[in-house]
Amino acid sequence: MLSSFSFVYLILFLILAFLVYYFLEVVEEPVLQFSEGEFIRRVIENCPCLTRKYFPTFWCFNNHLMLALLLFREHRSKFFHYDKLEHLKMKDGGVTGLAWSNIQGKKKTDTDPIAIVFHTISGDEQDVKSIVKAIGSQLKWASVVCIRRGHGNLPLSKPQINTMGSSSDLKEQLLYIKKKFPNSPLFGVGISAGSGLLARYLGESGTKSLLDAAVAISPAYDIEKAFHRVHPIYSKIMGQRLINYFLKRHYETLSSLGGFQEVLESKTLGEFQDRLHRLSGFDDKEEYYRHSNPALVMKNIRTPIMILNAKDDPICVNQNVLENLHWLETLPNSIHVYTKRGSHIAYFEGWKAISWSDHLVCEYFKAVQDQLPKKKKKPKMKTAKKR
């Protein structure tokens, strides 16, 4: 049996071995790939997160533990109250939504930026509340979450669903926001599948994009391939979650459509997406991906963008990133941020496991804002006092 001194030495040795492993194998400075230019140079200079080491939370730096912690916190977190929830009727009769935060007191003539947030594949305004709260507290900006049709508490008024969202719906949402606040620069941030919709819009819009800058967190790039590469366990869990979230919740609206039963019998995320085309209004899988896959148009993005990926992501896996690195640096005013750890959209750091990526997004948006042309506010007319 070990003596008390031997036991203490063993514990000290294990702690030392853990620390050596943590600092040598876990802690690492992000790898940056970017287009050359003064704009990007200034952005990087003003984003300390990009030039210092990222210290993942030492007690959950494993990708599965980090993802489990993220899901647990989302499940246990308090309901976040938005200032205003709007339902927007699309041209085809479908309904989307806008969830506004920190908007009270903001006027049409304001020039302060607005952050537009794009939620996850089976989420809504609640699953992106972390970044919404960070933007409100760190930047003091207003935020609005673009809720896709069929998500959250929105009624599915038209029998049509697309887990990745519709870029035509998004264009209508952005036009509405821009009309409401014409003087406010718009900054977009997409989370997971939300980054796919964001990239699809940016690629389709090119130089006509209404966004002044964007961030894509944990994008999958070519979704036709990527959904079949998800870790098998997560693929099964996500496939069943999508069935429950879309097909069972909207059973009365969708069950009469051709192809419904086939989608309902999907066992994995990849199968669900491959079979979704008829429920999305397309004749076949090829047409569905042609109108939904961000990888087909991403090379046309002209909006300044920061893209964030982790090598240990079990959902948007590393192979997706490696296949696209060769052309990412050709995007003008773009930065690709590549971390060794971070899992899928988690990116926890510090003892309390706070979000490193939320802080990075705020740094990036502030750095870009500082380079935008300043819009002068109209001076207030002074009224002469009567004598």
Side-chain angles (χ1 to χ4, degrees):
M1 295 179 64
L2 288 174
S3 66
S4 58
F5 285 109
S6 298
F7 181 75
V8 171
Y9 283 129
L10 176 61
I11 295 299
L12 290 175
F13 173 78
L14 292 176
I15 292 174
L16 179 61
F18 174 82
L19 291 174
V20 170
Y21 175 80
Y22 177 77
F23 283 100
L24 290 181
E25 297 295 330
V26 179
V27 176
E28 189 177 76
E29 191 174 303
V31 176
L32 307 182
Q33 185 167 337
F34 51 89
S35 57
E36 297 291 340
E38 185 67 14
F39 176 87
I40 290 298
R41 185 186 65 79
R42 289 182 179 178
V43 167
I44 294 174
E45 285 179 354
N46 289 283
C47 291
C49 283
L50 294 179
T51 53
R52 66 170 174 82
K53 290 184 177 180
Y54 164 44
F55 289 80
T57 298
F58 76 95
W59 49 268
C60 71
F61 59 76
N62 173 271
N63 57 347
H64 302 298
L65 286 177
M66 198 176 281
L67 188 55
L69 178 62
L70 176 72
L71 296 174
F72 175 76
R73 283 184 168 180
E74 286 183 358
H75 177 69
R76 295 293 302 273
S77 63
K78 294 181 180 179
F79 183 85
F80 182 73
H81 292 276
Y82 284 82
D83 296 339
K84 184 179 181 181
L85 291 172
E86 291 187 85
H87 288 188
L88 300 183
K89 191 171 184 179
M90 301 290 98
K91 292 178 181 178
D92 67 353
V95 176
T96 65
L98 297 176
W100 297 90
S101 177
N102 206 28
I103 198 69
Q104 294 177 348
K106 185 169 176 59
K107 300 177 181 179
K108 194 180 185 80
T109 55
D110 285 350
T111 59
D112 294 334
I114 296 174
I116 303 176
V117 185
F118 307 95
H119 58 73
T120 61
I121 195 167
S122 59
D124 52 32
E125 71 278 8
Q126 289 301 318
D127 78 328
V128 291
K129 56 193 171 190
S130 173
I131 185 63
V132 169
K133 289 190 283 188
I135 289 169
S137 61
Q138 296 181 37
L139 297 176
K140 311 301 180 186
W141 292 2
S143 296
V144 56
V145 181
C146 288
I147 309 170
R148 305 194 286 275
R149 62 174 74 193
H151 289 254
N153 294 318
L154 295 180
L156 191 62
S157 57
K158 183 179 180 181
Q160 183 174 307
I161 197 74
N162 187 342
T163 57
M164 296 301 294
S166 163
S167 56
S168 61
D169 283 353
L170 179 54
K171 289 173 185 176
E172 290 188 53
Q173 290 174 312
L174 293 179
L175 284 170
Y176 176 86
I177 296 168
K178 195 63 181 177
K179 185 176 181 180
K180 195 177 183 74
F181 298 106
N183 296 309
S184 293
L186 303 181
F187 291 72
V189 52
I191 314 295
S192 189
S195 67
L197 176 60
L198 172 62
R200 181 78 198 192
Y201 165 78
L202 293 175
E204 289 179 355
S205 302
T207 57
K208 296 181 180 180
S209 165
L210 294 179
L211 298 177
D212 292 272
V215 176
I217 300 177
S218 301
Y221 302 94
D222 188 345
I223 61 173
E224 189 171 4
K225 296 178 181 177
F227 286 134
H228 291 281
R229 294 171 175 170
V230 175
H231 188 286
I233 294 177
Y234 297 125
S235 182
K236 291 180 180 179
I237 293 173
M238 292 176 71
Q240 187 58 53
R241 182 171 181 175
L242 292 182
I243 289 172
N244 296 336
Y245 191 81
F246 292 108
L247 305 190
K248 294 185 178 180
R249 281 202 315 142
H250 300 296
Y251 181 85
E252 292 184 5
T253 307
L254 297 173
S255 58
S256 61
L257 295 179
F260 178 86
Q261 188 62 34
E262 185 182 13
V263 183
L264 188 64
E265 295 171 357
S266 301
K267 302 299 182 184
T268 65
L269 175 60
E271 285 183 0
F272 186 95
Q273 289 296 139
D274 282 350
R275 299 172 178 180
L276 191 63
H277 51 274
R278 294 178 71 182
L279 304 189
S280 299
F282 300 103
D283 293 331
D284 52 45
K285 180 179 74 172
E286 289 71 27
E287 186 184 9
Y288 166 72
Y289 282 120
R290 191 161 57 248
H291 287 85
S292 305
N293 196 343
L296 302 180
V297 296
M298 283 185 73
K299 295 179 182 179
N300 301 323
I301 294 175
R302 292 299 175 265
T303 299
I305 186 170
M306 179 174 69
I307 304 171
L308 177 59
N309 287 108
K311 293 180 181 179
D312 67 344
D313 191 330
I315 295 176
C316 296
V317 301
N318 195 41
Q319 186 178 353
N320 303 335
V321 184
L322 296 177
E323 288 178 351
N324 291 276
L325 279 176
H326 66 281
W327 61 265
L328 282 173
E329 67 179 5
T330 65
L331 291 180
N333 296 327
S334 68
I335 309 173
H336 183 258
V337 184
Y338 207 14
T339 60
K340 191 173 186 179
R341 306 276 180 164
S343 190
H344 185 67
I345 71 172
Y347 290 99
F348 293 129
E349 72 170 346
W351 287 71
K352 296 182 179 180
I354 60 174
S355 175
W356 175 82
S357 58
D358 284 356
H359 189 60
L360 172 60
V361 169
C362 292
E363 283 187 353
Y364 174 78
F365 281 169
K366 183 64 171 65
V368 173
Q369 181 197 18
D370 290 342
Q371 295 194 67
L372 294 179
K374 303 297 181 182
K375 293 182 180 180
K376 294 182 179 180
K377 294 183 178 180
K378 294 181 180 180
K380 296 180 179 180
M381 300 297 292
K382 293 183 178 180
T383 304
K385 295 181 179 180
K386 294 181 179 180
R387 294 185 178 181

